[in-house]
Amino acid sequence: MSRYQLLTTATWLLLPAVLAVPTSRAQMACTAEANAPLVTPPPTLVVRDEDDEPTRVVARNVVGDYLNSVASEFGDKVSSYFFSGIPEWFQDLPTGDAVLDKLDITEDDLNAIPTSVLNLPSYANWTDEGWNLRVHGNVYKLPNVSQDKIDDLANIFLIDVDIEDLDENQQENARNLTKSIFVVQQGDLEVTMDFVSNVDVEPSSGGGTVNAQAGGDQTITLPYNTTDQGDFDVFVTLDNSTGPDGGYTTPGDETSSIQTLNVYAEGTNTGNATAYLVPPTGMTIISDIDDILRVTKIYQPDEGLLNSFARDFVPWMNMPDIYANWSASIDDFHFHYLTTTPEQATRTYMEFIYSTYPLGSFDTRPLNFSDVSATLSIRKFLLDKIFATFPQRQFILVADTTNSDVMKAYPQLAHDHPSQVQCIFLRNTSATDDSNYFPYDTSGFEGLDQDKYMFFTVPDDLTNLDIQGGKCWNESIAQNVTFGTQGLPFGLGSDDEDAAGMLEPPSVAGRIGVALLLAFLALAVL
Ligand SMILES: *[C@@H]1O[C@H](CO)[C@@H](O)[C@H](O)[C@H]1NC(C)=O
Ligand SMILES: *[C@@H]1O[C@H](CO)[C@@H](O)[C@H](O)[C@H]1NC(C)=O
Ligand SMILES: *[C@@H]1O[C@H](CO)[C@@H](O)[C@H](O)[C@H]1NC(C)=O
Ligand SMILES: *[C@@H]1O[C@H](CO)[C@@H](O)[C@H](O)[C@H]1NC(C)=O
Ligand SMILES: *[C@@H]1O[C@H](CO)[C@@H](O)[C@H](O)[C@H]1NC(C)=O
Ligand SMILES: *[C@@H]1O[C@H](CO)[C@@H](O)[C@H](O)[C@H]1NC(C)=O
Ligand SMILES: *[C@@H]1O[C@H](CO)[C@@H](O)[C@H](O)[C@H]1NC(C)=O
Ligand SMILES: *[C@@H]1O[C@H](CO)[C@@H](O)[C@H](O)[C@H]1NC(C)=O
Ligand SMILES: *[C@@H]1O[C@H](CO)[C@@H](O)[C@H](O)[C@H]1NC(C)=O
Ligand SMILES: *[C@@H]1O[C@H](CO)[C@@H](O)[C@H](O)[C@H]1NC(C)=O
Ligand SMILES: *[C@@H]1O[C@H](CO)[C@@H](O)[C@H](O)[C@H]1NC(C)=O
């Protein structure tokens, strides 16, 4: 057990003690407090409503304090909002001058380096003017930095492990990702894209994807230069250009297939991506990646870090089979991967997705969404954008319970666009992983038809569903949705009587036991 695992376990065990100390008996708790350097009980534990009943708000405040204390045990690598499901290690990444400072390179060094472009696979909708394609990504330079320096920087991210201690493959992964974080973004640059209908689509590699019939070739300079942080994100209208054999892209109202075009950023061979021309009607799946398509364990910072920086990405159970089946069996299914991982880490995510799951368009967190509140709002921002782009398509939304932004945004979309949200599938992460301490809030699901959503445990729960028929709940999978905060220990946050009991004072024997436990744990940790 590492030191912080022990600390966490200790704090976890102490929870009932902290919760059980009633205000009116604060003085009696002094013995316990004196022996417990790890835990500071919150000053007020029981607030009563107008009927003099303890309210659940209290439980939440207590729990909030508790969670903060757990988070703080992870040290300065983790802050309290990590319980929102935002991987801490991808927060506050350096940009601009901060990168130059860390790398100790000059403008002159930089000028000698070629420009790279991250070009994200994108979607287009059909409009009166033709295909309207979103083009988004980032322009940057990848400085030539010595391995020693990269290793030092990688070690800033790794908790309790030195890059030297990783195996060779993991070292290479960690170096690659670290390099992609320490890039120098290029602002105020013009971006020009070449569109070419040369996609070699393999049968059933992604829904109803077909190659645009040797038409649609053209070159477009984006109407705006890159932002200060090197980002570009704009819709452009494609010309109905004719290919060599008289081929042209099929209008969106004459096909249900998804046509593909390749998009190449000029001046580099780093900015190649495929664009998906998606007809106005049909089905789109919007899928999160971490802890649903791959094993990340963002709720366990040491594991999450290794799974993101060092280890090869690993699919979560047999999710690839489920997606492959949906891709093959649901007509013209458009796959869109939406992760709030920051742009800098995108290449690793895309490589994994495209070698494991059906092809599709991609969204990640752009650089201007980097403070905490922006980080928590980016998912809704990107979801709203794709909903606005396809107002007649139906959406299948997939993620897991550890993202607080998902738990809000998905049911909200179902309330706001009832005819567009066909299914919401949420992996109940607590059900298969008891190392997950993240609580989740199911209140947004109140009032939604149960056939529209399912909290599931393993990928097999998703087999044999009639998604097109709108039957998204596998009735053999028990649903235990309280429309409140769930996933807390000891029944806190649930409506049942036992949970309320947790706020009652414990017996005298119980308090002595707690004091002993505290003393023991304090010794064990120190
Ligand atoms: C990077 O720098 C090293 C020396 O620091 C040099 O040997 C190598 O050629 C450089 N690579 C490139 C691509 O400039
Ligand atoms: C690291 O990056 C290099 C250059 O982009 C690539 O050739 C190599 O396959 C990557 N290694 C891993 C383990 O991803
Ligand atoms: C965009 O950047 C180019 C250089 O890449 C510059 O020549 C041009 O003036 C800029 N355009 C705008 C509108 O700022
Ligand atoms: C696109 O161009 C082809 C000829 O190349 C023409 O037949 C077709 O009607 C055009 N489509 C639209 C929507 O203008
Ligand atoms: C991008 O496409 C160009 C043109 O087809 C090709 O030469 C280049 O190797 C591609 N780059 C990558 C990284 O695949
Ligand atoms: C980030 O930039 C995009 C355009 O690229 C803009 O629409 C968005 O509002 C910006 N978001 C923030 C939080 O600044
Ligand atoms: C196409 O997408 C744009 C950008 O999201 C949106 O403003 C527009 O309304 C959409 N057009 C149609 C016909 O759906
Ligand atoms: C998730 O799984 C846990 C553990 O099995 C269970 O207690 C909880 O009720 C489940 N949540 C939902 C929403 O079904
Ligand atoms: C429901 O889940 C079970 C167990 O995971 C699975 O065997 C079954 O095929 C699923 N589908 C239906 C419609 O029952
Ligand atoms: C594959 O997906 C289709 C469509 O959702 C469904 O009808 C079928 O039962 C699925 N098969 C399995 C094995 O999940
Ligand atoms: C139902 O959810 C509550 C609150 O999360 C939990 O206490 C209880 O154990 C769950 N029951 C089952 C059968 O999972």
Side-chain angles (χ1 to χ4, degrees), residues 31-103:
T31 345
E33 272 182 88
N35 288 324
L38 291 178
V39 179
T40 312
T44 310
L45 287 170
V46 179
V47 167
R48 294 181 184 271
D49 63 16
E50 55 275 32
D51 302 325
D52 206 32
E53 292 296 320
T55 65
R56 288 208 287 128
V57 180
V58 183
R60 269 188 220 139
N61 289 342
V62 172
V63 165
D65 289 343
Y66 156 71
L67 292 179
N68 286 340
S69 84
V70 170
S72 69
E73 301 304 343
F74 290 106
D76 59 6
K77 299 260 160 86
V78 161
S79 70
S80 55
Y81 63 88
F82 110 98
F83 282 100
S84 300
I86 296 183
E88 184 71 22
W89 49 92
F90 284 147
Q91 202 56 35
D92 300 325
L93 298 182
T95 56
D97 290 345
V99 171
L100 294 177
D101 277 0
K102 291 260 194 240
L103 296 180

Side-chain angles (χ1 to χ4, degrees), residues 290-408:
D290 285 312
D291 289 314
I292 177 77
L293 301 188
R294 80 173 190 101
V295 177
T296 312
K297 296 186 186 264
I298 61 169
Y299 40 85
Q300 259 187 291
D302 56 343
E303 283 292 292
L305 249 164
L306 289 174
N307 289 332
S308 298
F309 272 84
R311 297 175 184 144
D312 288 338
F313 282 17
V314 173
W316 178 55
M317 299 182 74
N318 57 329
M319 275 308 268
D321 298 341
I322 303 292
Y323 275 41
N325 174 55
W326 284 348
S327 173
S329 62
I330 297 178
D331 293 339
D332 305 312
F333 205 14
H334 167 214
F335 285 80
H336 181 70
Y337 300 96
L338 193 161
T339 169
T340 57
T341 286
E343 209 167 71
Q344 294 97 319
T346 305
R347 286 191 201 271
T348 320
Y349 276 71
M350 290 198 298
E351 267 167 37
F352 166 73
I353 289 297
Y354 296 140
S355 62
T356 321
Y357 289 97
L359 297 180
S361 44
F362 223 91
D363 256 320
T364 52
R365 168 151 53 100
L367 285 161
N368 66 341
F369 282 87
S370 49
D371 67 32
V372 177
S373 69
T375 298
L376 282 169
S377 68
I378 182 61
R379 191 182 305 268
K380 187 67 170 32
F381 179 88
L382 296 171
L383 286 166
D384 285 344
K385 194 182 285 250
I386 188 169
F387 270 68
T389 306
F390 301 105
Q392 297 174 69
R393 286 186 79 85
Q394 282 162 314
F395 292 93
I396 317 298
L397 308 175
V398 189
D400 75 298
T401 48
T402 60
N403 302 104
S404 67
D405 54 353
V406 158
M407 295 304 290
K408 249 199 220 133

Side-chain angles (χ1 to χ4, degrees), residues 190-271:
E190 205 167 72
V191 179
T192 300
M193 296 291 185
D194 293 330
F195 299 84
V196 185
S197 61
N198 63 351
V199 181
D200 200 3
V201 181
E202 293 184 13
S204 82
S205 56
T209 312
V210 298
N211 190 7
Q213 307 158 25
D217 293 11
Q218 56 203 282
T219 295
I220 296 179
T221 295
L222 302 188
Y224 309 105
N225 284 359
T226 55
T227 64
D228 288 350
Q229 288 141 323
D231 278 342
F232 55 91
D233 190 350
V234 68
F235 281 91
V236 297
T237 305
L238 299 182
D239 281 342
N240 177 29
S241 70
T242 311
D245 304 321
Y248 53 92
T249 51
T250 309
D253 51 4
E254 289 174 19
T255 182
S256 61
S257 296
I258 296 160
Q259 300 170 79
T260 53
L261 280 178
N262 271 335
V263 184
Y264 301 95
E266 281 192 357
T268 173
N269 70 6
T270 56

